[in-house]
Amino acid sequence: KTPFPIFSQEEVYKHRTPADGIWVTYKGGVYDITEFVAMHPGGSKILLAAGGALEPFWAMYAVHSQEHVLEILSEYKVGELSPEDQKQQSASSSDPYSTDPPRHPALRVNSQKPFNGEPPSEILSENYITPTAFFFKRNHLPVPKVDPATYRLEIEGLPNGPVSLSLEDLKSRFPKHTVTATLQCAGNRRSEMNKVKQVKGLNWGIAAISNATWSGVLLRDVLLDAGYKSGGTAKHVQFEGLDKDVTGTTYGASIPLGKAVSEEGDVLLAYEMNGEDLPADHGFPLRVVVPGTVGARNVKWLGKIILSEEESSSHWQQNDYKGFSPSTDWDTVDFKSAPAIQELPVQSAITQPAEGAVVDRSMEEVTVKGYAWSGGGREVVRVDVSLDGGRTWQVAKLRGGEEDEPPPPPGRAWAWKLWELTAPLPEDAQELEIVCKAVDSSYNVQPDSMAPIWNLRGVLSNAWHRVRVTVNE
Ligand code: HEM
Ligand code: MTE
């Protein structure tokens, strides 16, 4: 076996274009990846590493810490990096996730870097307000460290020019409002869609949804104070996070202007969650809470607000979080052809019993619990539960907030309902197929199965939820 030639970092750095060849280094190896660039599943981002080390980029995109990625890389090996340059590199590389906060060990982790985790689903129905530590966490990037003393919120696109506010300005100059709102990720229940046919995305179970009380100032109040007047040309309100990728691009999203400035929109710039300062994972020191709207628009670590004629140009507004026909695949998808998801469709799921649980015949009864929610402030008005795969149905008992709390005004039901049904065990049944489906105030219902709503990104997964349990004689 002939040993690989030794290259200096300086030599590797000369290979950064297709004409000169594209070289990278990884753990002391030198690789000529010119041929691979066009085949890279992550697109032209790969060129950011041209002429240098992969480690800092792969630390950001941990999708690469898989054996099959290393196998691909190994095909392109052309040499070894000189020992002096190897030493230099290991001294300078660092993990952008090293300052991420600690998380509750009970969270089911879908990805560690960036951190994405959901609680065990029984926890959801045990608490109307999800305890903060168990609230699902969905990050696209490392959690940014923000100093609340020097933090500024910038607002652009107003007739009187830009405005900059400190955290203290927000807390002292505007009335404090509290809204109980459920956040749901567009990818909640993706794993069930994945069983129909493979989709691309984190394999969420049924718990990428949680409910909290959020306190802060109304976006409407802040915009009016900053000089917003109706009748302008702006149609959208864009939000930029302070979390950045390797190119310095921030997380971003936008919502329609009407939702932002409506007296009934209840859009908050929240600095508290469940009565405490926002935790790092949920957007400290300030996040947008857009009640009734998909999680992705609820921008955390909010740095900037822009009123504009156009939607956010962010990847997550333009090329992600959109729905398509089951017939659309990655070769034919045209992201421009579909609107960005804003309000989510009606949803419900069974949190107890768990799939595969055993119910004891001597108990004579079975108790089924779950959650139900709909987007756009549409209230859940009914949940139907079946113990026989959908042939016969019983109506579950719904539970909103505290007993003495008034019901939400029409069109502003931002929080979920928990539901429960206790029913006699059907005689002779050895197995139960428990099914739930919710109805919202517009009489929208959930579709009965996933296949007809399957889409390549696995979003909007809201078919009847089904759980199979066995009855122990
Ligand atoms: C995804 C290989 C360099 C960014 C992937 C995947 C492979 C791959 C096989 C798909 C992984 C999966 O889903 O199982 C490689 C190889 C590289 C390289 C062999 C170097 C020779 C880079 C660099 C960056 C990058 C330098 C960023 C600066 C990404 C991103 C994805 C990805 C963002 C995810 C795409 C998506 O989920 O849509 N890469 N990669 N890659 N890569 Fe790379
Ligand atoms: N905001 C920023 N700045 N960065 C992000 O990665 N993720 C979004 C949204 N806001 C995200 C963000 C997505 S996709 C969701 S579902 C929600 O935050 C999740 O909020 P949570 O982590 O507080 O549950």
Side-chain angles (χ1 to χ4, degrees):
K1 200 167 126 190
T2 43
F4 280 109
I6 307 283
F7 295 106
S8 67
Q9 177 55 55
E10 199 185 342
E11 180 61 31
V12 173
Y13 190 67
K14 289 181 186 152
H15 299 272
R16 301 192 315 280
T17 63
D20 300 326
I22 291 162
W23 290 16
V24 293
T25 66
Y26 183 72
K27 292 199 171 155
V30 176
Y31 301 86
D32 177 350
I33 57 163
T34 319
E35 300 295 312
F36 177 70
V37 169
M39 296 183 272
H40 177 231
S44 60
K45 273 210 168 76
I46 192 173
L47 294 175
L48 289 167
L54 287 171
E55 283 89 340
F57 300 99
W58 282 8
M60 177 80 81
Y61 299 106
V63 48
H64 298 95
S65 56
Q66 305 182 68
E67 214 165 309
H68 79 104
V69 176
L70 292 180
E71 273 167 27
I72 297 173
L73 186 64
S74 66
E75 291 169 31
Y76 300 99
K77 187 157 182 180
V78 291
E80 302 278 0
L81 192 62
S82 73
E84 308 85 73
D85 286 330
Q86 284 193 39
K87 259 191 227 134
Q88 188 96 29
Q89 263 192 6
S90 58
S92 65
S93 63
S94 73
D95 177 358
Y97 293 94
S98 62
T99 55
D100 265 24
R103 279 100 185 190
H104 198 288
L107 292 175
R108 205 195 102 187
V109 178
N110 286 316
S111 133
Q112 196 68 50
K113 298 175 179 185
F115 188 80
N116 287 286
E118 65 186 292
S121 49
E122 318 85 76
I123 299 243
L124 294 182
S125 51
E126 275 162 19
N127 306 276
Y128 181 71
I129 300 292
T130 314
T132 304
F134 291 112
F135 199 101
F136 83 98
K137 299 173 200 329
R138 204 283 175 248
N139 298 336
H140 288 89
L141 297 162
V143 172
K145 274 233 168 314
V146 186
D147 177 359
T150 56
Y151 169 82
R152 308 293 300 185
L153 172 65
E154 313 290 341
I155 311 179
E156 294 176 4
L158 295 162
N160 308 339
V163 168
S164 167
L165 297 165
S166 69
L167 202 55
E168 198 41 44
D169 291 335
L170 288 164
K171 290 184 179 177
S172 63
R173 290 184 31 210
F174 301 94
K176 183 173 176 179
H177 286 263
T178 297
V179 175
T180 302
T182 298
L183 287 194
Q184 183 182 208
C185 185
N188 189 30
R189 302 182 59 198
R190 178 179 283 129
S191 53
E192 292 161 70
M193 220 171 240
N194 241 333
K195 285 181 193 145
V196 174
K197 196 171 110 187
Q198 177 90 49
V199 299
K200 220 161 145 177
L202 297 166
N203 203 32
W204 293 110
I206 63 167
I209 183 169
S210 301
N211 190 44
T213 60
W214 308 93
S215 305
V217 299
L218 288 175
L219 174 59
R220 172 187 154 82
D221 289 348
V222 173
L223 291 180
L224 286 172
D225 180 77
Y228 165 76
K229 284 181 196 64
S230 62
T233 54
K235 293 195 186 71
H236 304 275
V237 180
Q238 303 184 16
F239 305 114
E240 276 180 23
L242 294 167
D243 45 340
K244 295 190 181 81
D245 73 6
V246 280
T247 67
T249 310
T250 55
Y251 182 84
S254 61
I255 59 169
L257 176 71
K259 170 74 178 169
V261 298
S262 163
E263 277 183 78
E264 305 195 329
D266 294 323
V267 180
L268 274 189
L269 303 180
Y271 48 76
E272 286 177 12
M273 176 179 187
N274 295 340
E276 286 171 8
D277 281 354
L278 273 182
D281 262 327
H282 297 286
F284 180 83
L286 194 75
R287 85 174 298 170
V288 194
V289 173
V290 191
T293 293
V294 63
R297 315 298 169 218
N298 292 249
V299 174
K300 305 192 272 190
W301 313 290
L302 182 65
K304 197 187 270 187
I305 298 176
I306 308 166
L307 275 68
S308 62
E309 286 182 54
E310 305 297 330
E311 280 185 88
S312 165
S313 61
S314 144
H315 167 80
W316 294 280
Q317 188 80 15
Q318 302 288 337
N319 298 323
D320 202 353
Y321 298 114
K322 293 187 171 186
F324 293 94
S325 160
S327 64
T328 302
D329 61 26
W330 288 100
D331 295 326
T332 58
V333 63
D334 171 14
F335 273 96
K336 293 218 166 12
S337 69
I341 299 169
Q342 296 283 354
E343 295 178 356
L344 284 171
V346 60
Q347 176 71 288
S348 69
I350 300 159
T351 54
Q352 285 178 46
E355 174 73 29
V358 179
V359 183
D360 207 1
R361 167 70 61 195
S362 65
M363 300 297 286
E364 289 173 9
E365 287 185 330
V366 59
T367 295
V368 186
K369 293 185 186 184
Y371 65 75
W373 180 77
S374 189
R378 287 176 290 274
E379 186 172 2
V380 167
V381 297
R382 202 184 76 226
V383 172
D384 299 326
V385 178
S386 172
L387 302 180
D388 55 11
R391 277 176 293 279
T392 62
W393 298 92
Q394 303 177 61
V395 177
K397 188 169 175 288
L398 300 182
R399 178 182 151 206
E402 298 304 318
E403 294 293 324
D404 51 356
E405 240 174 79
R412 290 162 82 182
W414 310 127
W416 67 12
K417 299 234 174 117
L418 297 180
W419 53 263
E420 190 171 328
L421 174 85
T422 299
L425 270 178
E427 276 171 39
D428 306 334
Q430 274 141 24
E431 193 190 69
L432 306 180
E433 186 185 358
I434 309 177
V435 186
C436 74
K437 63 182 173 82
V439 182
D440 74 16
S441 55
S442 299
Y443 284 103
N444 290 309
V445 294
Q446 298 174 247
D448 66 352
S449 57
M450 288 293 183
I453 57 167
W454 184 95
N455 59 86
L456 73 178
R457 204 59 180 79
V459 291
L460 307 166
S461 181
N462 74 329
W464 300 356
H465 186 226
R466 296 163 193 265
V467 165
R468 278 172 195 277
V469 302
T470 48
V471 181
N472 206 347
E473 294 303 327

